[in-house]
Amino acid sequence: MLSCRLLLLVQAVISVYICHAARVVIDWDIGYIQVNRDGYNNRRAIGVNGALPIPPVYVDHGDTLIINVHNSLTVPTSIHAHGIFHNGTNYYDGAGMVTQCGIPPGESYSYTIEARQVGTYWIHGHTRHQNSDGLRAPFIIREKLRQPVVDYDDEYLLYLEDWYPTESSEKMKEITEPGDGTVPPPTYPFGLINGYNGNNTKPIRFSPGKRYRIRMVSMATTEWFKVQFPGHQVEVIEADGINCVPQQVDGFDMGPGQRYSAIVTALDTVTYNMPFNVTLYADFVPRINGLNPRYYQGLIEYREGAPAKRLPVTDDNQLKWANDIEMQPYDRQPALPVDRQIELTSVGIITVDKRSLRKLNKYPYTEPAVPSLFTAMTTGELAMDRNIYGPQAEALILRHEEVVEIKLNNPSGLVHSFHLHGHAFQVVEYGPVDRDIIEIPAGLNASIADVPVAPVRQFHNAPMRRDTLVTPVFEYVKIRFRADNPGVWMFHCHMDTHFAAGLAVTFIEAPDVLQQTQILPEDLQQMCLRQGIKASGNAAGNPGYDFTGLPPVPQELKVDDNSTFGNTAASSTN
């Protein structure tokens, strides 16, 4: 009798869930527009339906989101839902020449996103670094039937962008085309909050005593954002779509692609308003007053027209910033037992044709001639051989359900922000890199002895999970995830210039299982063929190990070939 009642209860819950699930359809016509977003510079950008910023996308847990994309650009395009797993639908991940060919000019393609997760995400271009030119929007999946981590009365969204005065294609040419071996000169972007110059952001309205969820999304191309709500009690409750045990903090230091949610408790007053602070900065370019960092201030409004309370400035080093190694997931999943460790090291190189590139493995990443997913789906047993994906796809084969620990070394003075497609990973340890792999940029009057030794920091009780990770300078980070999502998934630096310089690898996850469980959509294959791109075969679109047609791998310039480059490659900037 009890089992029957339980069955009826489960059926009722499922029925309610299905009845409340919606099919959300939006149309995106991606095209060029002229804008002035920072208040100073008019430039060509990429918008949707003739507008920029692109409106945030909201759905409820359990909904199905359909995005009908029409390409009105003169070059191919694609979109990626950053942080969404696409379990069973790898072909909707949107990474150009990884899971699809770009949508050609004048054509359309529809993406289906099943809202099986909850939390704060974003959608952005993933072909030709078009997110840098405006093709990006927040994507929020709201809790529906289940309760959030904590109760709150209302919520606000802050989406943050670094905005450059020139198109990204100009900056990318300095990296991808032969030069003189030097890194491009630094440029200084403006900070945008909710689409416009940060100092013009609309006030956030608070009522005394209430609790507000503030969702923060860093849609930055290159630089970092710090966000603070001085004078208020602030608790972090989410990182990258993963709910966490609430923890009191003073602020958030966000690398490109990272997201947080905070509960900010309103003050019991209407006599004055309170500022909130947003700082755009980069430690890897020169500090110039007014350019780096740039300071922006918004307003928490308790009463319209009330004076803003001035608070003393606190040194950042005295504040408690949200820190993933100190956080715990709300579900308290324990650390995964490791089956295999993979070590990846970010290395800068100078090529013989004088390009400043970066690599994570043997070679800087370069797009193959056939999307790697198509290679995995069409080459039979050869799909289990990493070589079939070409030398510059930097393919790493993962076995189904194995737990992989990645030791990610950052031996340089450049901070990075790495994103893994298709998964959230556990953050288990930070520590100092081995001294013998430290990079000292050419021309810098320093030695390895001058590099400080970072402490080892490990998780406590249960490691926090997220999908985008900042790798501090001269440190390693260890992350773990289970290979339970067959597909082809990128792992790359989300600083666009570093990605363009080759800082990426491709995880080919359980291609044997993938071939048995997924079918490539016919319209996706035809979209390649109409552009003269093969839709099967190895990385070059050929059978077996015939890689005729692939560009040659870049040849590194040896130190002895040109002494002006010092003992390592110069560090890439932005």
Side-chain angles (χ1 to χ4, degrees):
M1 181 61 112
L2 180 61
S3 61
C4 290
R5 288 178 179 174
L6 180 60
L7 179 60
L8 289 172
L9 177 62
V10 170
Q11 289 175 336
V13 170
I14 292 174
S15 297
V16 171
Y17 184 84
I18 292 174
C19 289
H20 282 80
R23 187 172 183 267
V24 181
V25 181
I26 60 176
D27 298 322
W28 277 15
D29 186 353
I30 298 173
Y32 299 112
I33 59 173
Q34 290 291 325
V35 294
N36 183 337
R37 304 184 74 195
D38 54 35
Y40 299 94
N41 299 285
N42 291 297
R43 55 158 289 190
R44 189 175 77 159
I46 297 176
V48 164
N49 302 333
L52 200 63
I54 303 167
V57 178
Y58 285 89
V59 299
D60 291 323
H61 180 233
D63 288 350
T64 297
L65 172 65
I66 310 293
I67 304 180
N68 299 317
V69 173
H70 179 76
N71 182 11
S72 292
L73 304 173
T74 58
V75 294
T77 190
S78 67
I79 59 171
H80 165 65
H82 185 114
I84 300 302
F85 298 155
H86 293 292
N87 199 304
T89 55
N90 184 204
Y91 40 81
Y92 287 134
D93 187 57
M97 297 310 294
V98 179
T99 60
Q100 70 166 93
C101 301
I103 305 168
E107 295 197 16
S108 301
Y109 185 71
S110 295
Y111 294 85
T112 298
I113 300 171
E114 301 291 347
R116 300 169 183 165
Q117 301 158 243
V118 296
T120 308
Y121 305 93
W122 60 304
I123 299 170
H124 62 82
H126 216 297
T127 292
R128 297 175 180 246
H129 309 285
Q130 291 165 352
N131 63 307
S132 303
D133 290 322
L135 185 50
R136 50 196 181 193
F139 176 37
I140 309 302
I141 306 177
R142 298 169 293 208
E143 294 93 347
K144 185 169 56 175
L145 295 180
R146 65 188 190 191
Q147 287 291 107
V149 172
V150 297
D151 291 327
Y152 52 90
D153 298 292
D154 203 351
E155 70 174 57
Y156 289 98
L157 173 64
L158 296 178
Y159 53 99
L160 312 170
E161 303 171 73
D162 52 359
W163 189 249
Y164 289 86
T166 57
E167 293 184 48
S168 63
S169 57
E170 295 302 312
K171 196 68 178 176
M172 300 310 168
K173 285 180 182 178
E174 298 174 333
I175 297 168
T176 58
E177 296 182 0
D180 60 4
T182 61
V183 296
T187 51
Y188 298 93
F190 290 86
L192 309 181
I193 302 176
N194 292 355
Y196 301 98
N197 184 292
N199 287 324
N200 298 329
T201 187
K202 295 179 180 179
I204 295 174
R205 298 296 302 273
F206 274 16
S207 294
K210 291 193 173 183
R211 291 160 57 82
Y212 295 87
R213 178 177 188 162
I214 311 294
R215 298 181 187 264
M216 294 159 281
V217 185
S218 174
M219 305 196 307
T221 296
T222 303
E223 298 203 353
W224 264 241
F225 279 99
K226 289 181 179 179
V227 183
Q228 299 169 262
F229 306 93
H232 292 82
Q233 178 179 304
V234 179
E235 293 177 290
V236 57
I237 62 165
E238 177 212 352
D240 295 354
I242 304 297
N243 291 330
C244 65
V245 177
Q247 182 184 89
Q248 196 160 325
V249 297
D250 295 315
F252 302 87
D253 193 359
M254 306 168 66
Q258 293 189 311
R259 296 92 63 208
Y260 285 103
S261 280
I263 297 296
V264 180
T265 302
L267 304 177
D268 190 18
T269 182
V270 292
T271 58
Y272 51 81
N273 299 321
M274 297 287 287
F276 68 88
N277 301 325
V278 175
T279 303
L280 172 67
Y281 77 100
D283 287 336
F284 43 84
V285 295
R287 292 179 66 92
I288 299 177
N289 189 36
L291 297 179
N292 179 37
R294 293 189 194 265
Y295 299 102
Y296 300 93
Q297 200 164 76
L299 190 68
I300 297 175
E301 188 176 74
Y302 287 91
R303 179 170 59 85
E304 187 176 356
K309 186 174 183 179
R310 293 184 178 274
L311 296 173
V313 177
T314 305
D315 189 313
D316 283 0
N317 295 323
Q318 298 177 13
L319 299 176
K320 179 177 176 57
W321 300 93
N323 189 334
D324 47 37
I325 200 67
E326 298 174 358
M327 297 163 62
Q328 294 184 62
Y330 192 72
D331 58 16
R332 292 178 172 83
Q333 288 186 15
L336 295 167
V338 178
D339 297 314
R340 175 186 175 195
Q341 187 182 78
I342 296 173
E343 191 161 358
L344 299 172
T345 302
S346 170
V347 177
I349 67 168
I350 298 295
T351 64
V352 293
D353 59 357
K354 305 297 180 66
R355 288 179 292 160
S356 177
L357 303 180
R358 298 199 73 83
K359 61 182 182 178
L360 265 184
N361 210 343
K362 189 175 182 181
Y363 300 114
Y365 175 86
T366 299
E367 291 179 354
V370 170
S372 296
L373 173 62
F374 291 22
T375 296
M377 295 286 284
T378 63
T379 53
E381 293 182 358
L382 287 180
M384 297 295 291
D385 184 350
R386 69 184 300 266
N387 295 308
I388 207 71
Y389 301 93
Q392 287 182 259
E394 287 298 349
L396 297 164
I397 309 296
L398 305 183
R399 297 184 297 274
H400 189 44
E401 294 289 349
E402 72 173 334
V403 174
V404 181
E405 179 176 270
I406 307 295
K407 183 182 181 184
L408 183 60
N409 295 308
N410 182 19
S412 75
L414 279 173
V415 68
H416 299 290
S417 186
F418 279 94
H419 171 53
L420 175 61
H421 291 216
H423 294 274
F425 47 75
Q426 296 180 330
V427 183
V428 297
E429 183 177 290
Y430 292 83
V433 295
D434 295 338
R435 308 297 280 181
D436 59 354
I437 64 171
I438 288 177
E439 291 183 357
I440 302 297
L444 185 65
N445 186 22
S447 67
I448 292 177
D450 298 316
V451 176
V453 179
V456 174
R457 295 166 288 148
Q458 298 177 321
F459 74 93
H460 298 284
N461 300 319
M464 187 59 196
R465 302 190 303 279
R466 62 187 320 170
D467 58 59
T468 308
L469 176 85
V470 169
T471 57
V473 299
F474 306 122
E475 292 192 38
Y476 68 79
V477 186
K478 291 182 180 178
I479 61 176
R480 296 178 190 172
F481 66 95
R482 185 180 298 278
D484 57 2
N485 191 7
V488 175
W489 307 109
M490 290 211 82
F491 182 58
H492 65 94
C493 183
H494 224 281
M495 302 165 71
D496 273 21
T497 50
H498 292 182
F499 184 16
L503 204 53
V505 296
T506 313
F507 288 119
I508 314 295
E509 186 172 329
D512 50 345
V513 178
L514 176 68
Q515 292 174 6
Q516 299 171 10
T517 56
Q518 296 185 39
I519 299 174
L520 282 174
E522 178 64 25
D523 54 349
L524 199 66
Q525 299 176 67
Q526 290 299 321
M527 194 160 63
C528 292
L529 296 175
R530 287 195 297 272
Q531 298 177 78
I533 300 172
K534 295 179 182 178
S536 62
N538 63 22
N542 301 325
Y545 297 97
D546 175 11
F547 293 109
T548 303
L550 281 186
V553 297
Q555 299 299 308
E556 292 188 39
L557 181 69
K558 296 180 181 179
V559 174
D560 294 341
D561 293 339
N562 192 330
S563 60
T564 63
F565 291 111
N567 63 336
T568 69
S571 297
S572 298
T573 60
N574 65 338

